[in-house]
Amino acid sequence: MKKIQIFDSTLRDGAQARGINYSLADKLNVLKLLDSFGIDYIEAGNPASNPKEREFFERAADIKLSHSKLVAFGSTRRKDSSAEEDAGVQALLSAGTKTVSIFGKAWDLHVTDVLNTTLDENLSMIFDTIEFFKSKGIEVIFDAEHFFDGYKANPEYAFKVLETAQKAKADYLVLCDTNGGTMVCQMREAVRKCASSFTTPLGIHAHNDSELAVANSLIAVEEGAVQVQGTLIGFGERCGNARLSSIIPNLELKMGYKCLPEGKMNELYETCRQLAEFTNLVFDETLAYVGQNAFSHKGGMHIDGLKKAEGSFEHINPDLVGNRREFLLSEVAGRSAMASKLESEYPEVAKDKQKVSELMNKLKDLENEGVSFEGAESSFKIFIMKELGMHKPQFKLIHFKVFDEPSHHNTFGAYAVVKVDVNGQSRMAAADGNGPVNALDKALREALGIFYPELTKVVLTDYKVRVLETSHATGAKVRVIIESSDGKDSWRTVGVSTDVIEASLYALIDSIDYKLLENEVH
Amino acid sequence: MKKIQIFDSTLRDGAQARGINYSLADKLNVLKLLDSFGIDYIEAGNPASNPKEREFFERAADIKLSHSKLVAFGSTRRKDSSAEEDAGVQALLSAGTKTVSIFGKAWDLHVTDVLNTTLDENLSMIFDTIEFFKSKGIEVIFDAEHFFDGYKANPEYAFKVLETAQKAKADYLVLCDTNGGTMVCQMREAVRKCASSFTTPLGIHAHNDSELAVANSLIAVEEGAVQVQGTLIGFGERCGNARLSSIIPNLELKMGYKCLPEGKMNELYETCRQLAEFTNLVFDETLAYVGQNAFSHKGGMHIDGLKKAEGSFEHINPDLVGNRREFLLSEVAGRSAMASKLESEYPEVAKDKQKVSELMNKLKDLENEGVSFEGAESSFKIFIMKELGMHKPQFKLIHFKVFDEPSHHNTFGAYAVVKVDVNGQSRMAAADGNGPVNALDKALREALGIFYPELTKVVLTDYKVRVLETSHATGAKVRVIIESSDGKDSWRTVGVSTDVIEASLYALIDSIDYKLLENEVH
């Protein structure tokens, strides 16, 4: 099977999407996630653009990637300069990556009207910049920006751009449909022409402005492209980039190409979910392959058909991508998922079909209320222990009350009062904070610290809030996920309520509970 | 220009989508909306399936459509029966439409394993049913269900099905990719074969399970199909049907076909919005052509490029489909974004370079504190008015206090007390809610409603929370964005604080402020 290189730009082009704003920690998490999934190239931002990008590359250098190549992104040198002296080129070099992607203009209109330079100078800018990085032993992926628009407007010049990049020994020539306006027939014709004209391997970089990014990427591969650029779940400027979560299974399960390392395809669903968590955007459940609706069946005829003939109303077996079938009007399968979750800690329970079914039903009830243990494994563990009657709580919260008002010299601002019970001993505590949840967190630790001094080492390292049903606005349910750490281990817990403070409290209680349970075991 | 028939199934296949549940009034509204937009065929449900469908056709008969043909949907007769005696066929006839769509099985597996009948009997079922409706003078659109799967599994039989429908004088043979698994190359080859084998006009009905429904529909048209079936904004079982809001502009603006009556293309955006309103699903703003993000630009280079050369970063002029260009303000955007934002409302300020720079610096300061006006244009407007000394607040919040404790029979749960001042008159109010923010929202409206009755019409339609620096966990800053609506317009505002309640409060105050300012102006 022919191998297609997968190039993900969630951290670079994906950051251009409306509503996306990565923290440094998010970016590092995405890097590790995509590496462990087996993406070939992971493109991050432009080190010249801001200090946050520079810091990312410094921190990323300490991470040992198991599969992926990290790519820094930048432009060709400025006009009337040299590559050596160009600040942007130097910034790109300073990222210290073994691969860079460099974009240059392939549409004459952009050269003359946006860059305000000559067509010849643009070719020199491309040549010099690529040559500079190649002379440093760095792999260069050349992005021919607006290639398809350029090919329409001035095909001769668009080809000259590719020839120049080839002459400068670029490792890949990537054909970019930057505006996303290219129709499938134009795509096929242009890529075919390029494949017969250049010996350098071709890549495709498509945008979704005509809802054709996936199709255009597949067509480019059929015509000879060996690298597909996109973003895993389609984030990107305007309508987004080509969605790799659709392209990868289409290529690998339908068209006979190889994209991922062996055994990774069935991690697709889970990987996409985790990526969405980092970005805190609502997941589109109608997405091909990875949406929760992708294999859910509502029509009675379809459900009946599926029961009579497996595959009669599904284009693939959902297990192949780690998704699952769902009948919206009937009982849910997915027992095997639960069993496999149980296997490591409670192998005897995993074998008990009756028990697994009971747990599944209970989990379904919770899911209907909006609780999800995705990304909150410690709460899942506590849930299982409670259901199996193996959970001995180390404390009980008897009451809490939270107050919040503007903080002046004569008010408390945000503050909380709690009362806990530990083995029959009750204790009250109060604390203020820079918000009600922070106050509650401090008050809880204050109350429990005398019984469990190990809690003083615990800090909260992440806090995420997600609104579940936006249609109800401030009356909607929210899901809070917190990550805690004792300096050695970290763990994540979840809480759900219509009340953001209560949701946070549930997650805090699970976090403390988990820490104390772990201490008891070890 | 060659005319392509547009066939919308929002009312039939669209109803199979998860989360969709039309009332009778919704269905009638959709019918009128699609008719006035100029859709050629509007398919509604199966009159045999339930009384609501039957009632719909009775009511629809009283509506005079200006352009569209209404289509009732049903299956071929049951096995071992006659069309005349078949209850389903009679129900379909009773709908009283001049056009029906009839689906029959084109995949041998379905005939033998789902219908449990012989391949020959299936052909008779198809022939008899079509012939029956044709004998009544009714136009028949024949949907060859699973045509592409059938063509892969047993091409000879799949063709026999189409031949049978043609012999029975069906008006259209519609090739259905029911499972949505067909790749673009298979699509092209199969439709080409059909176009050269049958004289009856062809249609295409694609599903989006491989994210190829739009591309496959366009390819079918290129190969000779003259009817495209889909749903306007893509609703449908699993991953949805082919999205007509992408297909229509692709065909008409890019590929030289005609789909809509003259002058209707620029109603596309508004029509899609209205359709989404009827269904109460969240609109996907990344949709091609009709999403709010489709022509919104965040990257500084893109914004700069667009100002230098119109069309340099857009595949079409957004006016063509009734959408509009938008520049998002963010750290990557620059001064040109600010200037263009100012242009429409404050043209004289936009020209004042000194003033624009001052505003930019102030904006940078706010962004460093975590405020971002991306997706909160109304707060941006208030910010500008404040900075230009043009903001006259309509009320003042003197004090608030929020309380939160578990809700028992003898506690309030979450509740809020506020005191406001309106033109020197002060007023207190209190309210409880299912969370502290909901309580605060209700208390504020309660206090202000006596002065500004127009606020009673305002509801919050979306609420988003984003933690800004996760490293500080519960002590981190949060950004809250709320969307408000008065049933006619909607607007979005932002608030930032370490305290999620305070952040929500700021966004609420901006929202009310904005509504009152708009009222004053108009």
Side-chain angles (χ1 to χ4, degrees):
Chain A
M1 275 194 297
K2 185 174 171 188
K3 162 74 182 161
I4 301 298
Q5 302 288 332
I6 301 296
F7 181 110
D8 181 282
S9 189
T10 299
L11 292 176
R12 204 272 301 169
D13 240 3
Q16 302 292 326
R18 186 180 209 155
I20 288 204
N21 219 322
Y22 303 122
S23 69
L24 179 61
D26 289 338
K27 297 187 79 157
L28 294 167
N29 280 332
V30 171
L31 176 65
K32 287 182 229 169
L33 179 72
L34 295 178
D35 173 52
S36 87
F37 182 51
I39 296 290
D40 299 304
Y41 291 94
I42 300 172
E43 184 180 52
N46 186 334
S49 72
N50 66 55
K52 215 159 72 181
E53 294 297 331
R54 263 201 298 283
E55 199 183 341
F56 167 78
F57 283 104
E58 281 165 24
R59 296 280 300 275
D62 298 335
I63 294 171
K64 208 180 137 36
L65 300 177
S66 64
H67 178 95
S68 309
K69 296 183 192 175
L70 179 62
V71 185
F73 169 85
S75 73
T76 52
R77 69 157 171 84
R78 247 166 283 185
K79 59 186 172 186
D80 311 321
S81 156
S82 75
E84 191 80 46
E85 284 162 10
D86 188 272
V89 169
Q90 287 298 338
L92 185 54
L93 183 66
S94 74
T97 57
K98 292 189 181 120
T99 307
V100 295
S101 59
I102 291 168
F103 76 95
K105 300 282 188 190
W107 184 3
D108 56 357
L109 168 86
H110 268 257
V111 178
T112 53
D113 289 25
V114 178
L115 289 185
N116 283 313
T117 189
T118 64
L119 297 182
D120 279 344
E121 172 65 2
N122 181 54
L123 296 179
S124 301
M125 289 155 63
I126 292 167
F127 185 88
D128 294 352
T129 313
I130 296 172
E131 194 190 38
F132 175 80
F133 283 98
K134 289 304 294 179
S135 75
K136 307 276 177 196
I138 291 170
E139 182 184 39
V140 174
I141 296 173
F142 176 70
D143 284 359
E145 198 197 45
H146 287 107
F147 173 77
F148 295 93
D149 296 295
Y151 181 76
K152 255 183 279 182
N154 185 344
E156 202 191 331
Y157 187 71
F159 266 63
K160 259 195 199 152
V161 164
L162 295 181
E163 273 159 30
T164 304
Q166 179 165 284
K167 211 163 63 188
K169 301 217 172 0
D171 296 277
Y172 291 92
L173 306 178
V174 179
L175 311 176
C176 300
D177 187 23
T178 309
N179 289 357
T182 302
M183 297 293 100
V184 288
C185 42
Q186 301 162 336
M187 174 61 59
R188 192 177 290 281
E189 191 259 323
V191 180
R192 184 172 292 179
K193 190 91 184 285
C194 291
S196 69
S197 309
F198 301 100
T199 53
T200 309
L202 297 180
I204 179 71
H205 176 111
H207 281 258
N208 209 26
D209 299 74
S210 309
E211 212 184 327
L212 295 172
V214 169
N216 279 339
S217 303
L218 301 181
I219 286 168
V221 168
E222 287 177 338
E223 295 299 334
V226 297
Q227 178 179 110
V228 175
Q229 298 196 349
T231 57
L232 187 59
I233 45 182
F235 296 153
E237 181 134 23
R238 306 185 311 273
C239 305
N241 287 51
R243 204 176 333 266
L244 295 172
S245 63
S246 297
I247 292 171
I248 292 171
N250 279 340
L251 285 174
E252 202 162 313
L253 302 176
K254 305 276 189 87
M255 293 170 66
Y257 296 91
K258 190 80 196 153
C259 303
L260 296 175
E262 206 51 47
K264 287 294 181 182
M265 186 56 81
N266 65 13
E267 293 177 14
L268 179 66
Y269 177 85
E270 192 56 34
T271 304
C272 291
R273 296 277 144 182
Q274 286 187 34
L275 182 59
E277 281 298 320
F278 294 138
T279 53
N280 206 23
L281 287 193
V282 177
F283 201 91
D284 178 0
E285 299 298 358
T286 67
L287 286 188
Y289 295 102
V290 297
Q292 275 178 5
N293 298 1
F295 302 95
S296 73
H297 302 275
K298 186 169 165 185
M301 271 183 304
H302 286 204
I303 293 170
D304 184 56
L306 272 166
K307 296 196 148 176
K308 285 176 175 160
E310 178 115 351
S312 61
F313 282 95
E314 273 169 1
H315 68 124
I316 62 156
N317 183 333
D319 292 343
L320 291 173
V321 293
N323 205 335
R324 59 183 181 158
R325 179 177 307 146
E326 205 175 336
F327 294 136
L328 297 182
L329 294 176
S330 68
E331 283 284 72
V332 169
R335 192 192 293 169
S336 61
M338 172 65 88
S340 72
K341 281 216 179 225
L342 291 168
E343 240 150 45
S344 57
E345 303 252 354
Y346 309 103
E348 68 293 344
V349 181
K351 281 183 214 109
D352 182 343
K353 281 196 173 179
Q354 168 73 16
K355 197 77 210 165
V356 171
S357 278
E358 276 172 39
L359 287 170
M360 271 308 294
N361 290 339
K362 184 74 206 225
L363 190 65
K364 256 285 146 230
D365 291 347
L366 286 173
E367 278 180 354
N368 285 339
E369 290 161 29
V371 178
S372 153
F373 293 115
E374 230 173 82
E377 306 76 19
S378 301
S379 279
F380 179 71
K381 204 164 165 182
I382 290 172
F383 155 74
I384 294 290
M385 290 178 77
K386 280 182 181 164
E387 290 303 311
L388 298 179
M390 298 166 78
H391 178 256
K392 287 182 233 96
Q394 309 293 298
F395 69 97
K396 202 171 162 260
L397 179 66
I398 298 171
H399 195 63
F400 74 87
K401 188 156 182 169
V402 170
F403 308 81
D404 199 354
E405 63 189 320
S407 58
H408 303 307
H409 65 284
N410 56 355
T411 67
F412 288 124
Y415 59 107
V417 182
V418 300
K419 186 172 185 180
V420 297
D421 178 294
V422 179
N423 300 327
Q425 251 188 290
S426 76
R427 185 170 144 82
M428 273 190 81
D432 58 3
N434 53 14
V437 180
N438 183 236
L440 198 51
D441 179 34
K442 284 163 73 181
L444 261 179
R445 282 163 211 281
E446 175 69 27
L448 293 170
I450 201 165
F451 303 104
Y452 302 110
E454 64 265 42
L455 291 180
T456 57
K457 277 181 298 181
V458 176
V459 289
L460 301 193
T461 50
D462 198 359
Y463 177 71
K464 282 199 162 75
V465 182
R466 163 152 302 174
V467 177
L468 295 177
E469 312 135 38
T470 54
S471 52
H472 299 101
T474 62
K477 278 193 179 170
V478 294
R479 176 163 71 223
V480 167
I481 290 187
I482 64 175
E483 187 182 84
S484 313
S485 167
D486 57 10
K488 221 171 71 207
D489 298 309
S490 69
W491 59 97
R492 294 188 288 180
T493 51
V494 64
V496 171
S497 168
T498 57
D499 181 331
V500 66
I501 294 175
E502 264 184 35
S504 307
L505 180 67
Y506 299 150
L508 284 171
I509 289 175
D510 264 12
S511 166
I512 294 171
D513 215 13
Y514 181 81
K515 168 69 182 164
L516 298 176
L517 289 169
E518 286 293 293
N519 267 29
E520 218 177 39
V521 173
H522 297 118
Chain B
M1 275 194 297
K2 186 174 170 187
K3 163 72 183 161
I4 301 298
Q5 302 289 331
I6 301 296
F7 180 111
D8 182 281
S9 189
T10 298
L11 293 175
R12 204 272 301 168
D13 240 3
Q16 301 292 326
R18 186 180 207 157
I20 288 201
N21 221 323
Y22 304 122
S23 67
L24 178 61
D26 290 339
K27 298 186 79 157
L28 294 167
N29 281 331
V30 171
L31 176 65
K32 288 181 229 168
L33 178 73
L34 296 178
D35 173 51
S36 85
F37 182 52
I39 295 290
D40 300 305
Y41 291 94
I42 300 172
E43 183 181 54
N46 187 335
S49 73
N50 65 56
K52 212 160 72 180
E53 295 297 331
R54 261 201 301 283
E55 199 183 341
F56 167 79
F57 283 104
E58 280 166 24
R59 296 280 300 276
D62 298 335
I63 296 173
K64 205 179 140 33
L65 300 177
S66 64
H67 178 95
S68 309
K69 295 184 191 174
L70 178 63
V71 184
F73 169 86
S75 73
T76 51
R77 69 158 172 81
R78 246 166 285 186
K79 60 186 174 187
D80 310 321
S81 156
S82 76
E84 190 79 46
E85 285 162 9
D86 188 90
V89 169
Q90 286 298 337
L92 185 53
L93 183 66
S94 75
T97 57
K98 293 189 181 120
T99 308
V100 296
S101 60
I102 292 167
F103 77 95
K105 300 283 188 190
W107 184 3
D108 57 356
L109 168 86
H110 269 257
V111 177
T112 52
D113 289 25
V114 178
L115 289 185
N116 283 313
T117 188
T118 65
L119 297 182
D120 279 344
E121 171 66 3
N122 181 53
L123 296 179
S124 300
M125 288 155 62
I126 291 167
F127 186 88
D128 295 351
T129 313
I130 296 173
E131 193 189 39
F132 174 79
F133 283 98
K134 288 304 294 178
S135 76
K136 307 275 177 196
I138 291 171
E139 182 183 40
V140 174
I141 296 172
F142 176 68
D143 285 357
E145 199 196 47
H146 287 108
F147 172 77
F148 296 93
D149 296 294
Y151 181 75
K152 255 183 281 181
N154 185 344
E156 200 191 333
Y157 186 71
F159 265 62
K160 258 195 199 155
V161 165
L162 295 181
E163 272 160 31
T164 304
Q166 178 166 283
K167 211 163 64 189
K169 300 215 170 4
D171 295 278
Y172 291 92
L173 305 179
V174 179
L175 313 176
C176 300
D177 188 22
T178 310
N179 289 358
T182 300
M183 296 293 101
V184 288
C185 45
Q186 300 163 338
M187 175 60 59
R188 193 176 290 280
E189 192 259 321
V191 180
R192 184 172 292 179
K193 190 93 184 285
C194 291
S196 69
S197 308
F198 301 100
T199 53
T200 308
L202 297 180
I204 179 70
H205 176 110
H207 281 258
N208 209 26
D209 300 73
S210 308
E211 210 183 328
L212 295 173
V214 169
N216 279 340
S217 303
L218 301 181
I219 287 168
V221 169
E222 287 177 339
E223 295 299 334
V226 297
Q227 178 179 110
V228 175
Q229 299 197 349
T231 58
L232 188 59
I233 45 180
F235 297 153
E237 181 134 25
R238 305 185 311 274
C239 305
N241 287 52
R243 203 175 335 263
L244 295 173
S245 64
S246 297
I247 291 170
I248 293 170
N250 280 339
L251 286 174
E252 202 162 311
L253 302 176
K254 307 275 189 88
M255 294 170 67
Y257 296 92
K258 190 81 196 149
C259 302
L260 296 176
E262 205 52 45
K264 286 295 181 182
M265 185 56 82
N266 64 12
E267 294 178 13
L268 180 65
Y269 177 85
E270 194 53 37
T271 304
C272 291
R273 296 278 144 180
Q274 287 187 36
L275 182 59
E277 280 301 311
F278 296 138
T279 53
N280 207 22
L281 286 193
V282 178
F283 202 91
D284 177 1
E285 299 299 356
T286 67
L287 286 189
Y289 296 101
V290 296
Q292 275 179 5
N293 298 2
F295 302 95
S296 73
H297 303 275
K298 186 169 164 185
M301 272 182 304
H302 286 204
I303 293 169
D304 187 54
L306 271 166
K307 303 203 117 187
K308 287 177 175 159
E310 179 115 350
S312 61
F313 281 95
E314 272 169 1
H315 68 126
I316 62 157
N317 181 333
D319 293 343
L320 291 173
V321 292
N323 205 336
R324 58 181 187 150
R325 179 176 306 145
E326 203 176 338
F327 294 131
L328 303 179
L329 285 169
S330 75
E331 52 186 338
V332 283
R335 191 190 299 167
S336 58
M338 171 66 87
S340 74
K341 279 253 174 200
L342 291 168
E343 241 150 44
S344 57
E345 304 251 354
Y346 310 103
E348 68 293 345
V349 181
K351 282 183 213 110
D352 183 343
K353 279 199 172 175
Q354 168 72 16
K355 197 76 209 165
V356 172
S357 277
E358 274 173 42
L359 287 170
M360 269 310 289
N361 291 338
K362 183 74 206 219
L363 191 66
K364 275 261 163 271
D365 292 348
L366 285 174
E367 278 184 352
N368 286 339
E369 290 162 29
V371 178
S372 153
F373 293 115
E374 207 181 292
E377 301 76 18
S378 301
S379 280
F380 177 72
K381 205 164 164 182
I382 290 171
F383 156 74
I384 293 289
M385 289 179 79
K386 280 181 181 164
E387 289 303 309
L388 298 179
M390 298 165 79
H391 177 256
K392 287 180 231 95
Q394 309 293 300
F395 69 95
K396 202 170 161 261
L397 179 66
I398 298 172
H399 195 63
F400 72 87
K401 189 156 181 168
V402 171
F403 308 81
D404 200 354
E405 63 189 319
S407 59
H408 301 307
H409 65 285
N410 55 356
T411 68
F412 287 124
Y415 59 108
V417 182
V418 300
K419 187 173 184 178
V420 296
D421 177 294
V422 179
N423 301 325
Q425 252 187 290
S426 76
R427 184 171 145 83
M428 275 190 80
D432 57 3
N434 52 15
V437 181
N438 184 234
L440 197 50
D441 179 35
K442 284 164 71 181
L444 261 179
R445 283 163 210 280
E446 175 70 27
L448 293 170
I450 201 164
F451 303 104
Y452 302 111
E454 63 265 44
L455 291 179
T456 55
K457 278 181 298 183
V458 176
V459 291
L460 302 193
T461 49
D462 199 359
Y463 177 72
K464 284 202 164 73
V465 182
R466 167 98 214 176
V467 178
L468 295 177
E469 313 133 39
T470 54
S471 50
H472 300 102
T474 62
K477 278 192 179 171
V478 294
R479 177 163 67 226
V480 168
I481 289 187
I482 65 172
E483 186 182 85
S484 312
S485 167
D486 57 9
K488 221 172 75 217
D489 298 309
S490 69
W491 59 97
R492 293 185 287 184
T493 51
V494 65
V496 171
S497 167
T498 56
D499 181 332
V500 66
I501 294 174
E502 264 184 34
S504 307
L505 180 66
Y506 297 151
L508 284 172
I509 288 175
D510 263 12
S511 166
I512 294 171
D513 215 13
Y514 180 81
K515 167 71 181 162
L516 298 177
L517 289 169
E518 286 292 293
N519 267 29
E520 220 176 39
V521 173
H522 299 118

